[in-house]
């Protein structure tokens, strides 16, 4: 009777002694860890344990998914990271001189079939001089006897609440949350460069009892100008020292289309080619365009193309044209009045070219005429001098015969005179 009565007590003692209690009986190959909080510059120890390792080794990875240790083998060259203990059932490592960049979620893995993992969230607290107001010191967990005031660095905020595209004039509600701050951070909202009035920041203590999770919400009615806008949630905290810690959510707004007609060329004339572009805008972009001319039935054109083409304009094309741009959000009609003017009197480029050539030829001819005039004048002057020498001595003769005789006589007389004087 004594032995059977002891057996239930032994079984109860064995179950209570086993790590993890009854949860391990469900999956003995599932590793387990714990979240850790450390002051910047201090040392944190990460411990991962497993009951049934199934002949596989444990592994630690950092938030960037870089392997730190695989069993007792170091994988990352960082002297701050050291092996504390490595057995088939436990892998513990330490990280010294912890910095804010080390904050995040570390992963312990065991490569069974399937691979099993456990997460350890490391929160880094910044130590700031606590020689502040007396109330701050009194509120500090390190008071009294230690001149440090522990500050929790808030994590990057997360925005939730946006699910899909919104229609114009609908109301959107967005929520923002950030954890790990001490003292509690404050949240603000912005839409681009414009500040949005949000709900007051709500504060909730984290499970570790050392930091806080803060949250806020914002609600506003969207317009077509909000399509593609970025809604930002900012964390304000003394530990950030002006650094930007925010989250962004881009929103899409569906709205009815608008349209306007643009002529190309802007001032069409008779005989030219003309394109009327119907420029539709909206979200979604218009997918169908209907062209009409007032006083004309049926419609000129129904197409997915936005242009109406006139290959050769006539005066009869003048009139008022309408373009209806349509999307699944609705339609919009734009108008344009076309007045076909007479052909342009401005000469064509070929006529201009011929005019330039004609001007050059006229200039060359003018230069040749000037040259001929100067040459004729020169020849006339030299011919007059020759005649004057030839008729020398005949200026006083009463008639032509006497002039000839006098000229001849003058010449011979001259010769005689030359001979006489010689």
């Amino acid at each position: 009777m004594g032995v059977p009565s002891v057996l239930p007590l032994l079984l109860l003692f064995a179950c209570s002694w086993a790590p993890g209690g009854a949860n391990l009986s469900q999956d003995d190959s599932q590793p387990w860890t714990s979240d850790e909080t450390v002051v910047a510059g201090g040392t944190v120890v990460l411990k991962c344990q497993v009951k049934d390792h199934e002949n596989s080794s444990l592994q630690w990875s950092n938030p960037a998914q870089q392997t730190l240790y695989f069993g007792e083998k170091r994988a990352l060259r960082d002297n701050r990271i050291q092996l504390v203990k490595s057995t088939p059932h436990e892998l513990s490592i330490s990280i010294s001189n912890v910095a804010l960049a080390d904050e995040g979620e570390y992963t312990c893995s065991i490569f069974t079939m399937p691979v099993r993992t456990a997460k350890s969230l490391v929160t880094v607290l910044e130590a700031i001089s606590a020689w502040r107001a007396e109330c701050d010191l009194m509120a500090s967990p390190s008071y009294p006897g230690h001149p440090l005031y522990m500050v929790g660095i808030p994590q990057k905020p997360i925005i939730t609440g946006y699910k899909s595209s919104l229609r114009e004039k609908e109301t959107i509600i967005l929520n923002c949350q950030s954890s790990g701050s001490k003292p509690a951070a404050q949240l603000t909202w912005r839409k681009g460069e414009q500040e949005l009035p949000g709900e007051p920041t709500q504060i909730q203590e984290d499970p570790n009892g050392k930091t806080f999770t803060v949250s806020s919400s914002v609600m506003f009615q969207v317009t077509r100008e909000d399509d593609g806008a970025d809604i930002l949630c900012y964390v304000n905290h003394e530990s950030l020292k002006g650094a930007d810690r925010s989250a962004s959510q881009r929103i899409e707004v569906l709205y009815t289309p608008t349209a306007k007609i643009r002529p190309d060329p802007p001032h069409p004339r008779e005989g030219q080619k003309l394109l009327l572009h119907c420029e539709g805008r909206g979200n979604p972009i218009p997918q169908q365009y209907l062209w009409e001319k007032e006083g004309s039935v049926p419609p000129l054109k129904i197409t997915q193309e936005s242009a109406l083409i006139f290959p050769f304009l006539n005066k009869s094309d003048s009139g008022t044209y309408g373009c209806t741009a349509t999307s699944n959000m609705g339609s919009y009609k734009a108008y344009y009045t076309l007045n076909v003017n007479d052909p342009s009197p401005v000469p064509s480029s070929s006529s201009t070219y011929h005019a330039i050539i004609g001007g050059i030829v006229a200039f060359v001819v003018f230069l040749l005429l000037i040259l001929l005039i100067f040459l004729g004048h020169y020849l006339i002057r030299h011919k007059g001098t020759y005649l004057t020498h030839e008729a020398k001595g005949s200026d006083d003769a009463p008639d032509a015969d006497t002039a000839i005789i006098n000229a001849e006589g003058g010449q011979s007389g001259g010769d005689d005179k030359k001979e006489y004087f010689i």
Side-chain angles (χ1 to χ4, degrees):
M1 292 294 293
V3 173
S5 62
V6 175
L7 184 58
L9 295 176
L10 293 176
L11 292 175
L12 178 62
F13 174 77
C15 290
S16 61
W17 174 85
N23 289 335
L24 292 179
S25 64
Q26 297 177 2
D27 189 353
D28 292 345
S29 298
Q30 174 63 42
W32 73 88
T33 63
S34 60
D35 295 339
E36 303 292 340
T37 301
V38 60
V39 178
T43 301
V44 63
V45 176
L46 301 178
K47 179 186 290 187
C48 180
Q49 295 175 289
V50 65
K51 182 178 181 182
D52 183 4
H53 56 81
E54 296 185 13
N55 295 321
S56 181
S57 298
L58 294 168
Q59 172 186 291
W60 272 111
S61 303
N62 63 12
Q65 295 305 310
Q66 297 172 312
T67 301
L68 304 179
Y69 267 91
F70 183 73
E72 60 183 9
K73 296 180 180 179
R74 180 197 296 268
L76 188 66
R77 293 183 179 180
D78 189 339
N79 293 330
R80 300 179 307 133
I81 304 174
Q82 298 294 330
L83 179 65
V84 175
K85 185 177 181 180
S86 176
T87 69
H89 299 281
E90 179 183 339
L91 178 61
S92 297
I93 62 174
S94 66
I95 305 175
S96 61
N97 195 22
V98 175
L100 296 180
D102 296 320
E103 188 175 65
E105 202 170 53
Y106 289 74
T107 304
C108 174
S109 307
I110 185 167
F111 294 90
T112 55
M113 292 296 292
V115 176
R116 294 170 172 85
T117 61
K119 303 291 186 179
S120 174
L121 178 63
V122 174
T123 302
V124 180
L125 304 179
E126 184 178 17
I128 299 178
S129 173
W131 301 118
R132 303 183 178 184
E134 183 65 19
C135 59
D136 286 340
L137 283 171
M138 293 293 290
S140 170
S142 60
Y143 181 88
H146 199 292
L148 288 180
Y149 182 76
M150 300 305 174
V151 178
I153 310 300
Q155 295 183 9
K156 181 179 176 67
I158 299 174
I159 297 178
T160 57
Y162 179 77
K163 298 179 181 179
S164 60
S165 303
L166 300 161
R167 289 178 176 266
E168 188 175 17
K169 296 184 180 180
E170 280 189 346
T171 299
I172 183 174
I173 301 176
L174 296 176
N175 302 298
C176 180
Q177 180 175 294
S178 173
S179 60
S181 61
K182 181 180 178 64
Q186 293 295 315
L187 302 177
T188 57
W189 292 91
R190 298 187 72 87
K191 180 172 64 178
E193 298 299 324
Q194 174 188 356
E195 186 172 352
L196 286 176
E199 294 294 327
T201 302
Q202 303 295 318
I203 303 172
Q204 182 179 0
E205 189 177 44
D206 291 333
N208 59 22
K210 300 177 182 179
T211 57
F212 299 92
T213 294
V214 294
S215 60
S216 177
S217 61
V218 66
M219 180 176 64
F220 61 95
Q221 189 179 70
V222 298
T223 65
R224 62 181 59 201
E225 287 76 19
D226 295 329
D227 182 37
D230 289 321
I231 310 301
L232 299 106
C233 174
Y234 285 92
V235 179
N236 301 312
H237 195 261
E238 58 184 286
S239 65
L240 300 177
K241 300 176 182 178
D244 179 16
R245 182 154 295 188
S246 62
S248 175
Q249 175 65 65
R250 180 161 295 183
I251 62 175
E252 181 183 18
V253 180
L254 305 176
Y255 56 93
T256 56
T258 60
K260 67 176 182 178
I261 299 175
R262 178 178 58 85
D264 182 21
H267 305 289
R269 294 183 177 274
E270 188 176 11
Q272 288 183 328
K273 179 181 178 179
L274 173 66
L275 278 77
L276 294 181
H277 297 278
C278 187
E279 298 178 341
R281 299 182 183 276
N283 188 16
I285 297 174
Q287 299 296 319
Q288 179 177 290
Y289 296 90
L290 169 66
W291 284 97
E292 299 173 288
K293 181 181 181 182
E294 286 189 355
S296 174
V297 288
L300 300 176
K301 190 178 183 182
I302 303 177
T303 178
Q304 293 183 349
E305 300 295 331
S306 61
L308 181 63
I309 303 174
F310 297 84
F312 192 87
L313 273 179
N314 293 310
K315 293 266 186 165
S316 59
D317 293 323
S318 297
T320 300
Y321 291 82
C323 169
T324 303
T326 303
S327 71
N328 57 10
M329 290 296 295
S331 60
Y332 183 90
K333 190 170 186 178
Y335 293 92
Y336 174 76
T337 300
L338 173 62
N339 293 315
V340 180
N341 300 318
D342 293 330
S344 175
V346 179
S348 63
S349 58
S350 59
S351 301
T352 304
Y353 173 76
H354 293 155
I356 293 174
I357 296 298
I360 294 174
V361 172
F363 181 71
V364 172
V365 171
F366 176 74
L367 290 179
L368 290 177
L369 288 175
I370 295 296
L371 182 60
L372 289 175
I373 290 173
F374 275 103
L375 182 60
H377 183 66
Y378 175 79
L379 293 176
I380 291 172
R381 287 190 62 185
H382 281 70
K383 183 176 181 181
T385 303
Y386 171 75
L387 293 174
T388 302
H389 286 296
E390 189 176 53
K392 197 172 183 180
S394 61
D395 293 338
D396 298 331
D399 53 37
D401 294 334
T402 305
I404 293 173
I405 295 171
N406 288 344
E408 292 177 353
Q411 290 179 2
S412 60
D415 294 338
D416 293 344
K417 288 178 181 178
K418 289 179 182 181
E419 291 177 359
Y420 175 77
F421 286 112
I422 290 171

